[in-house]
Amino acid sequence: MREMLYETLAAAGQHAQYGHIQYLGRGLGLLIWRAVASRRKLAVKTIQERLGLDQNQATTVARESFVQNGRSFLEILFCRQVDWRFCRDRVLIESPGHLHGILKQMRDRACVTVTAHFGAWELLGGLLHLMAPQEHKQVVVKPTHDRNLYRVIRRMRSHPTVQIIEHEQAAPKVLRNLKQGGLSAFLVDHNCRREEAVFLPFLGRKAAVNVGPALLALRAKALVWPVFLLREDPEHYRLLFEDPLDTSSLQGDRHEKLRTVAMFYTQAVERMVRCYPEQWFWMHRRWKTRPENELST
């Protein structure tokens, strides 16, 4: 019954006008801002500490972040509508020649694509479906606690060439895909368990960084490519990307290589957050997991 309700709402949303969904997303973000005081206070406090802003400045950034993330959530409804017309009308690529060069480099290589809960991240799967040259593509996600809702979201996120796989027990599937020269995409900015983490500086404080994408990239000798989709306004986006890191060229022992790769994608996320702080997911408890030496003091 609940899944049928979700399917009905999803179908209705997919037929709504794009501008209406963006308007509703803004309203959803403002509703969460007003209703969930604990997350509002967490976001403001964290922005003050990590970016050095005063309370008024931090409140402005945090409120806009809630609005942006409300829009991001409802953009799930449009994941399957990302086609070449969508790209032409809504997505700006500042350096198409540079992008073409990177995609050409990826043609015969496995690739770990890394991104963050930043901008319009839900739409990136559609762009990978269109642009990435690999035949086999994956997006690794964490499922929601509501399995009925998750099944609906998973269907909306899927594309003909993009497989959605769950974070738990994903490693064998990802490694097999990379060994076949495929592309696997990860969100790398969320908190993780201590046993999954390497602790690295992020916005001025050590954070638990998921080492899984780095380990899999090294085992497959893959490229690691940071990609982000910035929201320019409610209906237009800008594709931001950096040059990929070639893990096959790294020097040092296994531990040094892992730290190098994890630091590479952590710093890429930090650069985006510092440039466009209102587009990141500040309500998340990013620094929750702490190093063991901090717990013993």
Side-chain angles (χ1 to χ4, degrees), residues 1 29 81 107 115 144 169 185 192 202 206 218 259 267:
M1 187 70 177
Q81 297 183 32
R107 193 165 296 156
T115 190
T144 61
Q169 308 303 320
C192 62
F202 178 61
K206 282 188 177 180
L218 285 168
R259 287 186 66 89
Q267 290 178 338

Side-chain angles (χ1 to χ4, degrees), residues 104-125:
K104 185 177 180 181
Q105 181 185 358
M106 289 167 50
R107 193 165 296 156
D108 300 315
R109 295 290 303 276
C111 181
V112 170
T113 299
V114 290
T115 190
H117 296 86
F118 174 91
W121 75 82
E122 286 287 358
L123 301 180
L124 275 175

Side-chain angles (χ1 to χ4, degrees), residues 51-68:
L51 299 183
L53 302 182
D54 63 35
Q55 186 168 8
N56 288 337
Q57 292 170 324
T59 300
T60 299
V61 171
R63 184 177 182 273
E64 183 60 24
S65 170
F66 276 62
V67 168
Q68 298 286 1

Side-chain angles (χ1 to χ4, degrees), residues 37-234:
S38 60
R39 293 292 173 170
R40 181 177 68 241
K41 292 175 182 177
L42 171 67
V44 173
K45 182 174 183 291
T46 305
I47 291 168
Q48 286 182 269
E49 293 174 347
R50 300 296 97 215
L51 299 183
L53 302 182
D54 63 35
Q55 186 168 8
N56 288 337
Q57 292 170 324
T59 300
T60 299
V61 171
R63 184 177 182 273
E64 183 60 24
S65 170
F66 276 62
V67 168
Q68 298 286 1
N69 284 288
R71 286 174 169 153
S72 294
F73 178 75
L74 291 190
E75 280 167 345
I76 293 173
L77 297 167
F78 288 96
C79 286
R80 294 178 64 85
Q81 297 183 32
V82 177
D83 55 16
W84 290 115
R85 179 185 296 179
F86 181 96
C87 292
R88 181 196 67 197
D89 295 342
R90 301 190 186 278
V91 181
L92 171 66
I93 300 174
E94 288 189 333
S95 304
H98 189 191
L99 176 61
H100 178 75
I102 291 174
L103 295 177
K104 185 177 180 181
Q105 181 185 358
M106 289 167 50
R107 193 165 296 156
D108 300 315
R109 295 290 303 276
C111 181
V112 170
T113 299
V114 290
T115 190
H117 296 86
F118 174 91
W121 75 82
E122 286 287 358
L123 301 180
L124 275 175
L127 292 179
L128 291 175
H129 161 63
L130 292 175
M131 296 180 180
Q134 286 84 354
E135 180 181 357
H136 304 289
K137 308 177 188 74
Q138 300 171 325
V139 174
V140 181
V141 302
K142 286 190 174 184
T144 61
H145 294 298
D146 187 330
R147 299 300 298 187
N148 292 307
L149 177 60
Y150 172 67
R151 281 191 288 271
V152 175
I153 290 176
R154 177 172 178 162
R155 179 181 57 77
M156 289 189 293
R157 283 171 167 165
S158 65
H159 295 273
T161 66
V162 179
Q163 178 188 18
I164 307 298
I165 61 174
E166 295 184 15
H167 171 78
E168 295 295 333
Q169 308 303 320
K173 296 178 182 178
V174 170
L175 187 58
R176 184 164 55 249
N177 182 57
L178 294 174
K179 291 284 189 178
Q180 295 173 348
L183 178 149
S184 300
F186 294 84
L187 288 155
V188 294
D189 63 328
H190 51 73
N191 186 64
C192 62
R193 298 190 299 266
R194 191 175 293 107
E195 57 270 24
E196 299 175 323
V198 59
F199 286 90
L200 298 171
F202 178 61
L203 296 173
R205 187 186 184 197
K206 282 188 177 180
V209 176
N210 191 332
V211 77
L215 177 61
L216 291 164
L218 285 168
R219 290 185 64 181
K221 296 182 171 59
L223 301 173
V224 179
W225 188 36
V227 183
F228 308 91
L229 190 60
L230 177 74
R231 186 177 288 102
E232 289 279 355
D233 58 50

